[in-house]
């Protein structure tokens, strides 16, 4: 099958490469000339585990190509997936300008019987508008379909090749059959291929993301209450998670969700609701709770240093919005760093893959460390923002020696609070207040709170 992906970002590149891996002829099209040139010269513009190897293998086999030309990429394609960004506009709604330009760009070159599939996350009604935008240019007969994407950055290849389900929204059987053919190699474990109406498919993606975002904001709110009343959110989490009606997934407290999906999708669905005269109170509150939660580590640090962070050195571990990706869109680390800079702190950061992306925004206003331990050199406190695996079991004795004072504010609850107190750290998590330090370290200053 000849397939074209319009938009070669996190979704288009991963899914296009996986389609190539299963034997299709795939062209990934993008308007970003530098990105396409990089891919054509053997580079991969994003960090996603396993992707580079897969891209190289499929380019070498001739099944995966990159292009900036709509004419070349669309002319022979049986399936065209729209995978461009749908960022939020000034009002919080989805900005559809890239989807529209993809539709208008492909229209003159569509072959008869092509299936145009929207994989971008778009509000209800967009697929039908895509069809209208195309029909404004061409009389050619084509099919439309909605095929929302559920992959998670950091585990994108696995998610895509072993999906829990595939959802397609169609008007006609032929489009459904073509999509089933493409997805068959990924559904060999009998996971469902769900054929629904186009509007339902569009809605399913928003509802899924809003449900997950709601769980995160809910547990964050519970964690904040736990901390005030002296309860331990980890114990509470276990206590509720064993209830089969509740479960454990997505109920980890933290520093708020970021990334290119949850924040904008929650706001976009609220905007859709408002357009239909429904005030989406839950969605608004989820968004507000999350925005507030992104300040939690700064609040804790500021309180600990009694409102004066001037001249303090703060180490920050983790910059990407979640582990195993270099994506920093709406990352909580950026909120924390901005607040720390405004408060006059010196900041030393480490992230295994996202430092380059942060440097493009923050330049030399912060210091970048090659190793996470180096970020701790002379630090008054360490803030953990992203739960990269290498942060899970560090050498605490080494950290204590490197830091000016053994103080950790953990935005991901990576460590055991009793053990941290015994190791001589002032350690506070989310929904976990610090315990009194039981064994002051022999090789550092007595553990008193700074004046
Ligand atoms: N990133 C995720 O984890 C994820 C998961 C599921 C769904 N989605 C959705 O998928 C869509 C794409 O997300 P992404 O993270 O891959 O975005 P991205 O920003 O990484 O990639 C979008 C790409 O589209 C290109 N582009 C823009 N206009 C174009 C045009 N007219 N023609 C050709 N290329 C064009 C851009 O240059 C960019 O390379 C969004 O709607 C998003 O909500 C994303």
């Amino acid at each position: 099958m000849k397939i074209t992906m319009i938009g070669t970002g996190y979704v288009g590149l991963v899914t296009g490469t996986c389609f190539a891996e299963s034997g299709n002829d795939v062209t990934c099209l993008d308007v970003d000339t530098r990105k396409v040139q990089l891919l054509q010269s053997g580079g991969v513009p994003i960090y996603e585990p396993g992707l580079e190897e897969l891209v190289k293998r499929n380019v070498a086999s001739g099944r995966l190509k990159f292009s900036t030309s709509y004419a070349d990429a669309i002319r022979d394609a049986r399936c065209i997936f729209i995978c461009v960004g749908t960022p939020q506009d000034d009002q919080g709604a989805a900005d559809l300008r890239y989807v529209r330009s993809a539709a208008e760009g492909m229209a003159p070159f569509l072959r008869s019987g092509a299936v145009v599939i929207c994989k971008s996350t778009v509000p209800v009604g967009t697929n039908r508008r895509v069809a209208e935008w195309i029909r404004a240019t061409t009389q050619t007969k084509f099919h439309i379909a909605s095929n929302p994407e559920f992959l998670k950055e950091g585990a994108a290849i696995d998610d895509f090749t072993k999906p829990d389900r595939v959802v397609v929204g169609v008007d006609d059987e032929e489009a459904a059959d073509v999509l089933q053919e493409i997805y068959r190699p990924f559904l060999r474990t009998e996971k469902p291929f769900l054929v629904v109406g186009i509007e339902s498919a569009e809605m399913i993606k928003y509802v899924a993301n809003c449900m997950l975002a709601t769980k995160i904001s809910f547990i964050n709110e519970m964690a904040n209450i736990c901390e005030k009343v002296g309860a331990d959110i980890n114990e509470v989490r276990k206590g509720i998670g064993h209830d089969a009606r509740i479960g454990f997934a997505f109920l980890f407290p933290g520093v708020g969700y970021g990334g290119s999906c949850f924040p904008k999708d929650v706001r976009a669905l609220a905007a859709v609701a408002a357009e239909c005269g429904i005030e989406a109170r839950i969605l608004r509150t989820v968004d507000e709770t999350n925005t507030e939660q992104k300040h939690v580590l700064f609040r804790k640090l500021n309180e600990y240093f009694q409102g004066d962070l001037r001249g303090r050195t703060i180490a920050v571990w983790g910059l990407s919005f979640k582990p195993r990706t270099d994506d920093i869109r709406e990352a909580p680390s950026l909120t924390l760093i901005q607040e720390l800079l405004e408060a006059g702190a010196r900041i030393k950061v480490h992230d295994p893959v996202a430092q380059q992306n942060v440097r493009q925004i923050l330049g030399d206003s912060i210091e970048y460390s090659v190793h996470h331990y180096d970020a701790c050199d002379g630090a008054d406190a360490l803030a953990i923002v992203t739960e990269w695996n290498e942060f899970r079991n560090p050498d605490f004795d080494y950290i204590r020696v490197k830091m000016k004072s053994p103080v950790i504010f953990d935005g991901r609850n990576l460590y055991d609070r009793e053990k941290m107190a015994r190791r001589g750290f002032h350690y506070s998590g989310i929904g976990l207040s610090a315990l009194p330090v039981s064994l002051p370290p022999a090789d550092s200053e007595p553990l008193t709170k700074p004046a």
Side-chain angles (χ1 to χ4, degrees):
M1 185 99 65
K2 282 198 187 314
I3 297 177
T4 290
M5 317 302 295
I6 304 186
T8 308
Y10 287 88
V11 168
L13 182 57
V14 169
T15 58
T17 305
C18 292
F19 284 144
E21 176 74 5
S22 59
N24 299 290
D25 274 336
V26 179
T27 302
C28 289
L29 168 71
D30 208 288
V31 285
D32 185 337
T33 317
R34 274 177 40 201
K35 192 180 266 191
V36 170
Q37 278 169 352
L38 177 69
L39 284 156
Q40 284 171 335
S41 62
V44 174
I46 54 168
Y47 174 79
E48 180 60 45
L51 182 61
E52 192 169 342
E53 188 197 332
L54 216 55
V55 169
K56 285 195 170 135
R57 186 164 62 232
N58 284 283
V59 167
S61 71
R63 286 195 301 266
L64 182 60
K65 294 188 204 70
F66 305 99
S67 173
T68 52
S69 161
Y70 270 88
D72 293 348
I74 302 296
R75 206 166 271 137
D76 298 326
R78 169 74 157 122
C79 286
I80 298 146
F81 286 85
I82 300 176
C83 307
V84 297
T86 47
Q88 72 179 52
D89 67 14
D90 303 344
Q91 312 299 315
D95 181 346
L96 297 177
R97 87 178 81 160
Y98 305 108
V99 174
R100 182 172 186 160
S101 78
E104 292 174 345
M106 76 173 88
F109 310 108
L110 270 190
R111 61 169 253 200
S112 179
V115 186
V116 176
I117 306 127
C118 196
K119 208 173 233 324
S120 297
T121 303
V122 290
V124 171
T126 306
N127 275 264
R128 302 213 183 270
R129 291 176 74 191
V130 165
E132 283 165 24
W133 288 326
I134 296 172
R135 274 190 214 112
T137 301
T138 180
Q139 307 282 317
T140 306
K141 292 267 174 276
F142 63 94
H143 307 266
I144 54 163
S146 166
N147 172 219
E149 182 48 58
F150 301 103
L151 63 76
K152 300 184 288 297
E153 287 172 26
I157 293 171
D158 247 23
D159 284 350
F160 187 73
T161 52
K162 297 176 204 135
D164 295 330
R165 79 301 203 190
V166 171
V167 172
V168 300
V170 290
D171 270 346
D172 63 273
E173 237 174 76
E174 190 177 334
D177 289 348
V178 171
L179 280 161
Q180 187 152 25
E181 196 59 34
I182 295 178
Y183 276 106
R184 199 183 307 281
F186 310 118
L187 293 170
R188 291 172 60 202
T189 49
E190 304 303 327
K191 296 289 182 183
F193 179 81
L194 300 172
V195 180
V196 299
I198 289 180
E199 285 71 17
S200 301
E202 291 172 324
M203 195 66 187
I204 283 168
K205 175 64 191 175
Y206 279 107
V207 176
N209 274 1
C210 289
M211 179 72 218
L212 296 171
T214 302
K215 288 179 96 173
I216 295 173
S217 275
F218 174 81
I219 201 68
N220 283 338
E221 186 164 290
M222 297 306 114
N224 294 339
I225 299 172
C226 281
E227 205 169 317
K228 290 285 177 211
V229 299
D232 175 333
I233 188 65
N234 284 336
E235 292 174 354
V236 172
R237 216 174 51 76
K238 285 177 201 150
I240 62 166
H242 285 290
D243 184 329
R245 295 167 304 174
I246 298 175
F248 287 101
F250 264 74
L251 288 175
F252 291 92
V255 290
Y257 57 75
S260 67
C261 293
F262 289 177
K264 77 168 173 61
D265 291 348
V266 169
R267 290 174 206 144
L269 188 54
V272 167
E275 267 176 42
C276 335
I278 293 175
E279 196 198 335
R281 288 196 196 89
I282 292 177
L283 300 181
R284 293 275 175 226
T285 307
V286 166
D287 184 33
E288 281 164 22
T289 306
N290 190 62
T291 303
E292 188 57 30
Q293 192 69 8
K294 286 183 169 183
H295 301 290
V296 66
L297 283 181
F298 178 78
R299 254 201 326 269
K300 282 169 175 263
L301 282 158
N302 200 40
E303 200 177 297
Y304 181 79
F305 290 106
Q306 301 183 343
D308 188 6
L309 281 152
R310 271 172 309 165
R312 297 281 179 192
T313 300
I314 310 297
V316 175
W317 281 5
L319 299 171
S320 54
F321 85 93
K322 66 172 177 177
R324 295 162 67 84
T325 179
D326 60 352
D327 197 342
I328 55 163
R329 290 178 281 189
E330 302 234 16
S333 64
L334 299 179
T335 309
L336 171 66
I337 291 171
Q338 204 53 50
E339 288 181 299
L340 287 172
L341 284 174
E342 281 162 18
R346 178 180 166 210
I347 300 159
K348 298 173 80 169
V349 303
H350 172 77
D351 187 283
V353 298
Q355 289 191 176
Q356 202 44 39
N357 287 344
V358 169
R359 197 188 278 275
Q360 280 173 17
I361 298 174
L362 295 176
D364 292 332
S365 60
I366 60 174
E367 292 165 47
Y368 303 88
S369 305
V370 176
H371 201 282
H372 56 291
Y373 289 128
D374 298 339
C376 297
D377 276 332
D380 293 283
L382 163 64
I384 301 175
V385 184
T386 316
E387 68 278 33
W388 282 92
N389 269 345
E390 51 255 69
F391 304 158
R392 287 185 184 275
N393 205 9
D395 183 337
F396 290 107
D397 291 336
Y398 189 46
I399 293 175
R400 221 179 43 215
V401 171
K402 285 197 154 253
M403 291 181 78
K404 199 156 149 198
S405 48
V407 175
I408 298 181
F409 288 95
D410 182 356
R412 300 294 177 178
N413 292 354
L414 298 184
Y415 314 129
D416 182 289
R417 150 168 104 137
E418 276 83 18
K419 281 189 190 154
M420 291 304 283
R422 284 202 298 277
R423 287 175 181 132
F425 281 86
H426 174 96
Y427 174 77
S428 159
I430 306 295
L432 297 170
S433 51
L435 295 174
V437 174
S438 44
L439 271 185
D443 49 0
S444 64
E445 299 287 322
L447 280 169
T448 49
K449 231 176 147 180

